Amino acid sequence: MAQLHPMKLTEVLAERGLSLESQANGEAPKEIQDREIKKEPTPRANYLRNIYFDTLSSLDVQESYWYTRAATEHEGEVPIMRRAYGLKSVFQHLDTPIWPHELLVGAKAGFYRGSAPLPWLTESFFMDKDSDLYKAALATGAESSAEVSHFGAGGGNVTKSFGNVVSVGGKYGVRREIVPAMHRLAYAWAGKSVEDVGRKYEQMVPEYKVKENIMKSVVSNFDSGFTIPQGREVMNYYYVLEYGFDGLIDFCEKRAGEVAGEAGGDGISGMDRLYYYKSMAELCRGLSAWFDNYGREADRLLSCTEDETSRAELSEISERMHRISHEKPMTFKDALQAIYLLHLAELNEDAMSGLSPGRIGQVLYPYFEQDIEAGRLTEAEAEEWNELYRVKMTCIDAFACTGVVGGVLSGNTFNNVCIGGLDREGKSAANRLEMLILEAGIKCQTTQPTLSLLYDEATPEEFLLKCMECVKTGAGYPAIMNNRIGMEFIQNQYQHEGMTVRESRAWSVGGCLETSPGTWMPLHHGGKLYWIPGGSGQPTSVGVHFLNNPKILELTLNNGFDRRTGLQVFEPHNRTFDTFDDLVDQYKKYYEKSVEVLNKCMNIQHDVWRKFTPSMVNSLLKPNCLERGLGIAQKGYRYNATFNIECCGMCNQINSFAAIKKLVYDDKKYTLDQLKDALDHNFGYKTSKEVGSESLKDQEKRDDDDGRYDEIHADCLRAPKYGNDEPYVDDMLYDWEQWFCEDMPHKFESLYAEPLYVCQMSVSTHGPEGAVTGATADGRLEGTTFADASMSAYPGTDTHGQYALFESATGWDHSMSQNSQMNLKIHPSATKGVEGSRKLLDLTRAYMRKGGFHIQYNIVDSRVLKKAQAHPENYRTLLIRVAGFTQYWVEIGKPIQDEVIARTEYESI
């Protein structure tokens, strides 16, 4: 007889003395506690931030129009010149809105919170679902991840069409009358886009059918060559700061004449130098016009404004924009304005996330220092301008498919500002301006730019405590990165390209936590020489995107067959797995096959990208392109070994390994067939699809369940779990890390013939990838969300405290990987006062000194999150840390919200 009220998983676990919402190191106070640190932004920043809160994510097609028009007019040009004319036209014609009370001006599109489709890159995903372009993408598996990705229904996300607004991709709004133009522009690139041409040639890979099956089953989250081919890297603003646009145009024109017809010892890339310099001159003219047009808009507004305060502000904007459209910046405000617009310029040339400004507190310090000394600037002004910068960066949206923006980014764009670290000579690089950047982050809490502390033992105590104060606001930043580990990884990965110890000190974080190489450049300002850091590498986290580790284990247990889709993803192995080592061996074979096939296809996609739409703004700004006369396509960047292999769900994979080994091979309590039967039947529970939720706490027993799987499910849940300093399971992690980081990736190379490396984080992929994965041997149920990050424990399973978790996490060398990720949730009562800040710093130091690479904190009472989930209309401004990024709670999909709520909450440190 069917149950009137099916038992939920939470009730079943409660009967076994288990919980999904664990408290550790004590109990939370009875009364809900808010975060301790609360400050208000300046009135100007608050006014502009409130506009953002009331603004929807909007699409603007003007960039698509002007680029397409210019590219068509220059159809027969050398490809890089055709692209230069297209981008020049875009920057010459983009709207240049200036909103009331702004001092820092600039917008990615014509809307306050806007983005633009780039159909020359990819055009299928934003078409109507019944269009031939969308159907073709769906047939290849390109949109499979989108089918299981979610946006939060609140905030600025346009999840549904309304009135005259059409929802695109479940996030962006576009006026209904614009849709035909958007589709017409998309069809203009049908068969010519990077997506279409790349897909044409990747089908020539012999195992292409395997690649399709991998995408359809979401073993991999999305293609990298035409979705977000740039990003996860660090900008370099040096050349514009040092020379200005007029100086760069003169330099490029002179060099074009010098290299014209000269092979330079290399008849391939040497001859390309002419086109590089000519294209960069055209790009600089477009960028100069764009800067100048903001001055023209200020002039227009000035002509119709009577308020004297507003007139003075507009006059200052006009003078600044007209000047820096030609000359190098001279003041702090000049320089901040210039680097902000350069940042937008790069974002406007490609679809991307994780384009990090880098260590701008050190880049801008020369201007800050001299302005303060000369009385041109006060610290209060500098702090306010950093607040305005935060609002501006938060308005940036990334336009890409739902599987990327929803399933990976949760709507975030990962513009990371790093603070601290070491200077060129090995001394602490923390400075007074960075203290003001922290203060701006405390007062004006926004999602962007996220902040990351490059923790080093040389960093002053006062600076570190200021970082802890900022963490205690609950905004989730700064995340803390181990500077020593980052330097060691950089030295190891780029040594063959000339990386030195001194150069490695210039590294920064590209995206949420991807280590990215940098370099020191000599800035001359006010008669003094400063060495400033900036990015010098190609985009990172491009290559093989987010392999689904638990899914590959599921396919291993099922002979390469995916029960959800009915696809034979991999060739059947037909092995019986007489030993646990046999199982792991086959798992690694399927894993390597995934990397092999995906890497070949991604190399083709990226090769088409670099031939058709190579980066130009970055190829202007990154060393050593200007010196060599070579852009990204010719390996003109100083460091090019940046392609990687990303993974998700490693904690569930390792915990599943431990359960299988203990229950089947060591204790022999169950056969492998019995375990597989329980997994195939989801331990007697409904599927997440039947329940209508991918969140663990919502799962229910089947109506006809007879309890036959209860015991095995309980044993799977009680099997050793990572995060408790248990060698039985931790040693499996260390063995895996050795193979994953050192033995496996170097078998493969990028399109630049450089060795791959691995990247370990989840971002938001633990939601959609969990949604397509059956029950796992660690006791997780079908379709539910994985553990976040890579070094974080599965919610509720880290029962022995933070330091036991640290022991588990640091038994391997973190410098073998581009990154690793640790998230902790701590109740606000545990960090109160100066003493609480010092305890938080001591906890951080303990992890760093044991060799952990990254740690980030959610300082929050979980009951606040539950209230916010039930009544989102009351929590528009609530920020939360997810997995490498901060986001407004209401803009996060429910599966990720539930996973954050379920994380172990530490009541004391």
Side-chain angles (χ1 to χ4, degrees):
M1 181 177 178
Q3 301 175 36
L4 293 177
H5 301 288
M7 287 190 71
K8 287 188 175 290
L9 173 63
T10 50
E11 297 171 321
V12 176
L13 293 182
E15 290 181 355
R16 300 172 186 167
L18 302 170
S19 173
L20 291 176
E21 298 169 15
S22 173
Q23 293 184 5
N25 296 5
E27 294 185 5
K30 291 183 180 180
E31 298 295 325
I32 295 177
Q33 296 202 8
D34 204 348
R35 291 150 169 172
E36 176 188 4
I37 304 297
K38 287 191 173 183
K39 297 182 180 180
E40 291 297 319
T42 61
R44 187 188 304 272
N46 192 51
Y47 173 87
L48 294 168
R49 187 178 61 165
N50 284 335
I51 297 177
Y52 171 83
F53 288 143
D54 294 333
T55 302
L56 298 179
S57 182
S58 305
L59 284 188
D60 186 347
V61 300
Q62 59 175 319
E63 178 175 355
S64 305
Y65 170 77
W66 288 110
Y67 185 96
T68 300
R69 175 172 168 171
T72 302
E73 290 173 354
H74 295 87
E75 189 79 44
E77 260 287 4
V78 173
I80 193 171
M81 290 301 302
R82 183 187 186 214
R83 180 153 176 79
Y85 288 126
L87 289 173
K88 177 184 176 183
S89 178
V90 167
F91 290 119
Q92 286 176 327
H93 293 96
L94 278 178
D95 287 344
T96 52
I98 299 175
W99 282 274
H101 304 297
E102 282 197 321
L103 299 178
L104 181 68
V105 301
K108 188 172 185 292
F111 299 106
Y112 199 77
R113 181 179 179 178
S115 55
L118 310 179
W120 48 90
L121 187 65
T122 173
E123 81 285 3
S124 64
F125 78 91
F126 58 84
M127 302 300 292
D128 292 326
K129 298 301 181 185
D130 60 351
S131 74
D132 54 348
L133 293 176
Y134 183 83
K135 289 177 179 177
L138 194 63
T140 66
E143 287 298 301
S144 296
S145 173
E147 303 298 314
V148 289
S149 298
H150 303 271
F151 288 107
N157 294 335
V158 184
T159 55
K160 296 180 180 179
S161 300
F162 65 92
N164 193 43
V165 176
V166 175
S167 173
V168 177
K171 174 176 173 60
Y172 315 95
V174 61
R175 293 197 305 272
R176 194 172 299 276
E177 62 268 23
I178 300 297
V179 173
M182 184 174 70
H183 287 174
R184 183 175 177 182
L185 287 164
Y187 273 107
W189 290 93
K192 305 174 187 177
S193 67
V194 173
E195 175 186 16
D196 293 348
V197 178
R199 183 167 290 130
K200 170 185 172 181
Y201 284 101
E202 69 175 329
Q203 292 181 35
M204 298 176 185
V205 172
E207 301 105 323
Y208 177 74
K209 186 63 178 177
V210 177
K211 188 260 182 177
E212 276 196 1
N213 291 340
I214 283 172
M215 302 307 294
K216 289 176 181 177
S217 59
V218 196
V219 167
S220 175
N221 202 267
F222 59 94
D223 293 287
S224 68
F226 57 81
T227 48
I228 45 174
Q230 291 196 84
R232 288 76 62 207
E233 62 187 299
V234 180
M235 287 287 288
N236 197 314
Y237 307 109
Y238 167 74
Y239 290 106
V240 175
L241 296 179
E242 178 73 4
Y243 299 108
F245 287 122
D246 283 0
L248 289 175
I249 292 170
D250 290 344
F251 175 84
C252 289
E253 291 290 6
K254 179 182 177 182
R255 287 291 291 144
E258 292 172 350
V259 303
E262 296 284 350
D266 182 343
I268 305 300
S269 60
M271 292 299 292
D272 285 337
R273 293 178 298 167
L274 169 62
Y275 315 119
Y276 167 85
Y277 284 121
K278 290 299 293 184
S279 66
M280 292 304 151
E282 292 303 312
L283 174 66
C284 285
R285 291 185 177 100
L287 291 172
S288 174
W290 188 42
F291 278 49
D292 198 52
N293 284 343
Y294 274 104
R296 294 173 184 272
E297 176 62 8
D299 293 338
R300 186 190 69 81
L301 291 171
L302 192 58
S303 69
C304 56
T305 299
E306 296 183 359
D307 178 75
E308 287 304 316
T309 299
S310 297
R311 287 184 59 82
E313 291 171 354
L314 287 168
S315 179
E316 183 180 336
I317 291 170
S318 169
E319 188 276 331
R320 176 179 301 113
M321 297 312 300
H322 286 313
R323 178 164 39 80
I324 66 173
S325 66
H326 298 282
E327 303 170 10
K328 59 186 288 186
M330 296 304 297
T331 67
F332 171 80
K333 295 175 183 178
D334 284 359
L336 183 54
Q337 177 67 75
I339 70 168
Y340 168 65
L341 276 185
L342 288 171
H343 198 85
L344 291 188
E346 173 60 9
L347 290 170
N348 268 340
E349 82 158 330
D350 224 335
M352 64 181 70
S353 69
L355 184 68
S356 293
R359 295 159 66 168
I360 61 169
Q362 295 156 40
V363 171
L364 296 174
Y365 187 76
Y367 305 93
F368 171 81
E369 178 187 61
Q370 293 190 21
D371 282 7
I372 291 289
E373 289 178 356
R376 291 188 295 264
L377 180 74
T378 66
E379 288 199 352
E381 287 179 297
E383 193 265 305
E384 180 180 50
W385 271 68
N386 274 293
E387 290 186 27
L388 300 178
Y389 179 73
R390 295 197 62 81
V391 176
K392 277 294 191 182
M393 296 294 277
T394 298
C395 290
I396 295 170
D397 265 342
F399 185 69
C401 63
T402 306
V404 173
V405 181
V408 180
L409 313 181
S410 279
N412 200 282
T413 51
F414 311 144
N415 303 278
N416 203 325
V417 166
C418 283
I419 55 179
L422 298 177
D423 66 15
R424 186 169 177 263
E425 305 309 319
K427 299 177 183 178
S428 173
N431 62 43
R432 182 61 190 167
L433 178 56
E434 291 186 331
M435 290 284 274
L436 299 179
I437 288 173
L438 281 166
E439 184 67 15
I442 293 170
K443 289 182 176 177
C444 189
Q445 292 186 32
T446 57
T447 61
Q448 298 295 318
T450 191
L451 300 177
S452 291
L453 165 66
L454 305 185
Y455 171 89
D456 195 275
E457 292 293 331
T459 309
E461 188 85 357
E462 179 189 13
F463 191 82
L464 294 174
L465 286 172
K466 186 68 174 180
C467 289
M468 296 305 107
E469 180 187 355
C470 190
V471 167
K472 286 165 58 175
T473 65
Y477 53 72
I480 298 98
M481 316 289 178
N482 192 321
N483 189 59
R484 175 178 62 83
I485 298 295
M487 286 175 57
E488 288 177 3
F489 171 80
I490 291 291
Q491 291 169 41
N492 292 339
Q493 181 64 21
Y494 303 103
Q495 184 178 23
H496 71 286
E497 294 190 86
M499 178 61 69
T500 64
V501 172
R502 171 178 277 179
E503 188 96 328
S504 71
R505 293 173 185 146
W507 81 281
S508 192
V509 179
C512 53
L513 66 152
E514 294 95 321
T515 52
S516 186
T519 194
W520 303 101
M521 301 298 285
L523 179 71
H524 299 85
H525 178 63
K528 295 178 65 176
L529 171 65
Y530 299 84
W531 288 94
I532 62 172
S536 56
Q538 290 211 22
T540 72
S541 289
V542 288
V544 178
H545 270 314
F546 293 107
L547 287 176
N548 185 335
N549 288 16
K551 185 71 179 182
I552 297 176
L553 179 55
E554 175 189 321
L555 295 173
T556 302
L557 292 172
N558 288 290
N559 210 21
F561 181 75
D562 181 20
R563 296 175 63 251
R564 185 183 73 92
T565 61
L567 293 171
Q568 185 68 46
V569 179
F570 301 113
E571 285 290 323
H573 54 69
N574 298 323
R575 299 173 69 172
T576 57
F577 303 137
D578 295 328
T579 68
F580 178 70
D581 288 343
D582 289 342
L583 175 64
V584 174
D585 176 70
Q586 184 57 51
Y587 178 81
K588 290 177 178 177
K589 282 182 165 61
Y590 277 166
Y591 210 97
E592 285 194 0
K593 176 55 68 173
S594 300
V595 175
E596 176 191 351
V597 174
L598 289 169
N599 186 55
K600 288 179 181 178
C601 292
M602 297 308 109
N603 279 348
I604 290 172
Q605 290 180 10
H606 282 279
D607 190 48
V608 171
W609 174 82
R610 69 170 171 172
K611 288 178 167 63
F612 280 43
T613 60
S615 169
M616 293 200 63
V617 179
N618 259 340
S619 290
L620 169 72
L621 301 177
K622 289 274 183 79
N624 294 344
C625 297
L626 273 173
E627 293 90 335
R628 296 173 179 171
L630 303 174
I632 187 172
Q634 291 82 22
K635 294 181 71 171
Y637 289 30
R638 185 171 296 190
Y639 301 109
N640 300 278
T642 60
F643 281 57
N644 68 6
I645 302 162
E646 297 173 325
C647 71
C648 175
M650 188 170 65
C651 179
N652 294 96
Q653 166 215 338
I654 296 299
N655 285 346
S656 295
F657 275 176
I660 293 170
K661 186 175 188 298
K662 181 168 180 57
L663 299 177
V664 175
Y665 294 98
D666 290 353
D667 296 350
K668 296 181 170 54
K669 186 171 182 180
Y670 306 101
T671 67
L672 191 58
D673 285 341
Q674 287 175 318
L675 177 60
K676 286 166 58 179
D677 179 59
L679 297 178
D680 289 347
H681 289 88
N682 199 29
F683 296 112
Y685 288 81
K686 297 176 182 178
T687 66
S688 62
K689 189 173 183 179
E690 290 171 326
V691 174
S693 171
E694 296 153 22
S695 303
L696 266 176
K697 70 176 186 178
D698 294 333
Q699 302 312 298
E700 301 173 353
K701 277 278 194 175
R702 294 190 62 82
D703 295 339
D704 59 354
D705 175 63
D706 59 6
R708 73 178 68 182
Y709 301 112
D710 286 357
E711 182 178 1
I712 191 171
H713 190 215
D715 285 338
C716 287
L717 289 168
R718 294 191 182 105
K721 296 290 188 289
Y722 160 79
N724 297 299
D725 194 17
E726 286 193 58
Y728 187 91
V729 61
D730 293 347
D731 286 347
M732 291 183 184
L733 169 66
Y734 309 150
D735 289 344
W736 169 259
E737 291 289 357
Q738 177 62 41
W739 179 83
F740 184 59
C741 298
E742 293 288 290
D743 301 339
M744 183 270 295
H746 300 153
K747 297 178 182 179
F748 307 98
E749 63 180 18
S750 73
L751 74 158
Y752 294 102
E754 298 288 355
L756 301 187
Y757 55 82
V758 297
C759 168
Q760 303 183 66
M761 61 181 186
S762 66
V763 202
S764 293
T765 57
H766 55 301
E769 293 198 352
V772 300
T773 304
T776 45
D778 58 347
R780 178 196 143 272
L781 297 180
E782 178 177 331
T784 58
T785 307
F786 295 152
D788 74 285
S790 56
M791 294 296 100
S792 302
Y794 191 68
T797 62
D798 46 336
T799 58
H800 289 56
Q802 303 104 312
Y803 290 97
L805 177 59
F806 291 176
E807 291 290 337
S808 293
T810 56
W812 63 284
D813 181 0
H814 286 206
S815 72
M816 296 192 303
S817 173
Q818 183 190 20
N819 51 36
S820 57
Q821 187 175 18
M822 168 76 75
N823 297 333
L824 282 186
K825 186 167 69 175
I826 299 176
H827 193 276
S829 63
T831 62
K832 277 195 171 180
V834 176
E835 181 183 357
S837 296
R838 293 193 179 279
K839 287 181 179 179
L840 190 61
L841 178 55
D842 288 343
L843 184 71
T844 302
R845 275 200 176 111
Y847 190 57
M848 296 290 109
R849 287 172 176 173
K850 286 194 67 65
F853 171 69
H854 160 274
I855 192 167
Q856 61 188 25
Y857 300 104
N858 262 322
I859 309 296
V860 66
D861 188 323
S862 296
R863 293 167 293 188
V864 171
L865 301 183
K866 293 175 184 177
K867 289 179 64 177
Q869 194 176 54
H871 302 285
E873 67 279 3
N874 299 329
Y875 291 88
R876 175 66 183 93
T877 64
L878 178 64
L879 286 169
I880 201 71
R881 192 75 173 183
V882 182
F885 66 97
T886 293
Q887 183 55 292
Y888 290 107
W889 179 256
V890 296
E891 300 200 13
I892 302 170
K894 185 175 181 295
I896 301 299
Q897 286 185 345
D898 285 343
E899 182 272 317
V900 173
I901 290 173
R903 292 177 191 175
T904 300
E905 179 182 286
Y906 289 96
E907 311 306 329
S908 64
I909 298 176

